[in-house]
């Protein structure tokens, strides 16, 4: 997003007139800032902007940036600089479920394009768009950090890994119906073990009579 576009977004009609932390989030903000020396309060900028975004339905309005900057005690432009730099902050309204398809090289090698196509087909939208019912926003992102279990998508704070087009459409259907799909590998793989199953030190474990993780 260009600097001009950032300015347009910050001044858009959808921006709310005001924002302030709820009492509970104000207490959380106080606990966050207490971790930093008094002269380093600006170090709490990122977690406080994230807190504001979570309170405001998954996106960060300008009024929230202003509130955080005032709360910390820094010029408001400092909050704008941070919020427009990091892609973790959503500057426009997003759907209830923010679906982020990783298309970096490891995921590409494991079929990320097919996963993205499945998302677009199932949701009926393209990247950067939101469904008419407001349930889903679809984004293409770079490296979500789960390369060993590629391909994957992130939905909110949850990672869904080892995907196929079929399992992708299934979990989107479950989300659309109000369900909560089980996060992690969709093939039953435990954490980041080999896709072929447990291998490292397996023979030694069996020799010692230890049941290896992943075995019945």
């Amino acid at each position: 997003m260009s600097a001009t576009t950032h300015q347009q977004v910050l001044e858009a009609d959808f921006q709310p007139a005001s924002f302030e932390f709820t009492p509970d989030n104000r207490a959380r903000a106080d606990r966050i800032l207490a971790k930093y020396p008094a002269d380093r309060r600006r170090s709490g900028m990122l977690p406080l902007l994230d807190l504001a975004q979570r309170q405001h339905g998954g996106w960060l309005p300008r009024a929230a940036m202003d509130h955080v900057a005032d709360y910390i005690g820094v010029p408001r432009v400092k909050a704008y600089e941070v919020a427009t730099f990091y892609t973790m902050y959503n500057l426009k309204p997003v759907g209830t479920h923010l679906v982020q398809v990783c298309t970096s090289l490891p995921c590409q090698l494991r079929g990320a394009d097919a996963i993205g196509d499945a998302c677009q087909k199932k949701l009926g939208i393209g990247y950067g768009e939101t469904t008419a019912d407001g349930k889903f926003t679809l984004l293409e992102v770079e490296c979500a950090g789960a390369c060993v279990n590629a391909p994957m998508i992130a939905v909110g704070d949850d990672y869904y890994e080892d995907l196929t087009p079929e399992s992708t459409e299934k979990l989107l259907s479950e989300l659309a119906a109000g369900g909560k799909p089980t996060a992690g590998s969709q093939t039953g793989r435990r954490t980041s073990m080999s896709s072929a199953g447990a291998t490292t030190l397996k023979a030694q474990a069996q020799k010692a009579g230890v049941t290896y993780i992943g075995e019945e």
Side-chain angles (χ1 to χ4, degrees), residues 14-15 18 22 32 87 90 94 100 106 116 119 131 157 172 184 195 204:
F14 57 72
Q15 293 285 347
S18 62
T22 63
I32 290 170
T87 57
N90 303 306
V94 296
Q100 301 180 80
C119 289
T131 55
D157 292 330
L172 291 175
S195 59
Q204 291 87 333

Side-chain angles (χ1 to χ4, degrees), residues 136-205:
F136 294 90
T137 294
L138 182 64
L139 297 178
E140 180 180 16
V141 299
E142 286 298 318
C143 198
C147 308
V148 73
N149 293 343
M152 61 81 63
I153 63 174
V155 182
D157 292 330
D158 293 323
Y159 277 19
Y160 298 93
E161 305 156 353
D162 293 322
L163 292 169
T164 63
E166 293 74 24
S167 61
T168 299
E169 292 194 22
K170 179 180 178 181
L171 73 87
L172 291 175
S173 293
E174 189 171 348
L175 287 168
K180 179 70 171 178
T182 301
S185 173
Q186 300 303 293
T187 63
R189 179 168 24 168
R190 294 180 63 89
T191 62
S192 58
M193 71 163 54
S194 167
S195 59
T199 57
T200 305
L201 301 179
K202 184 175 180 179
Q204 291 87 333

Side-chain angles (χ1 to χ4, degrees):
M1 183 179 293
S2 68
T4 300
T5 304
H6 282 148
Q7 183 176 353
Q8 291 172 343
V9 168
L10 294 178
E11 297 175 353
D13 291 340
F14 57 72
Q15 293 285 347
S18 62
F19 173 93
E20 63 179 56
F21 283 130
T22 63
D24 284 346
N25 279 342
R26 178 172 288 272
R28 292 188 181 96
D30 287 339
R31 291 195 295 272
I32 290 170
L33 289 185
K35 299 176 181 179
Y36 306 101
D39 62 343
R40 295 289 186 270
R41 286 169 60 89
R42 70 173 56 190
S43 298
M45 178 73 75
L46 270 73
L48 261 62
L49 288 175
D50 179 68
L51 183 64
Q53 177 168 271
R54 291 173 185 273
Q55 177 179 313
H56 196 72
W59 74 281
L60 188 66
R62 180 174 183 170
M65 301 178 205
D66 292 343
H67 181 71
V68 168
D70 295 346
Y71 193 77
I72 293 175
V74 300
R76 291 179 173 181
V77 69
K78 297 299 183 182
Y80 305 160
E81 289 171 349
V82 171
T84 58
F85 179 80
Y86 290 100
T87 57
M88 65 183 284
Y89 302 116
N90 303 306
L91 305 184
K92 299 186 292 185
V94 296
T96 304
H97 304 294
L98 180 60
V99 181
Q100 301 180 80
V101 182
C102 181
T103 58
S104 61
L105 183 58
C107 281
Q108 285 282 4
L109 294 173
R110 296 279 291 175
D113 283 345
I115 302 306
D117 290 345
C119 289
Q120 294 179 72
K121 174 185 174 183
K122 181 66 179 178
L123 300 177
I125 56 175
Y127 287 128
E129 298 179 347
T130 299
T131 55
D133 59 8
K135 284 188 175 182
F136 294 90
T137 294
L138 182 64
L139 297 178
E140 180 180 16
V141 299
E142 286 298 318
C143 198
C147 308
V148 73
N149 293 343
M152 61 81 63
I153 63 174
V155 182
D157 292 330
D158 293 323
Y159 277 19
Y160 298 93
E161 305 156 353
D162 293 322
L163 292 169
T164 63
E166 293 74 24
S167 61
T168 299
E169 292 194 22
K170 179 180 178 181
L171 73 87
L172 291 175
S173 293
E174 189 171 348
L175 287 168
K180 179 70 171 178
T182 301
S185 173
Q186 300 303 293
T187 63
R189 179 168 24 168
R190 294 180 63 89
T191 62
S192 58
M193 71 163 54
S194 167
S195 59
T199 57
T200 305
L201 301 179
K202 184 175 180 179
Q204 291 87 333
Q206 291 174 334
K207 185 177 181 180
V210 176
T211 300
Y212 205 83
I213 294 175
E215 292 185 341
E216 297 295 333

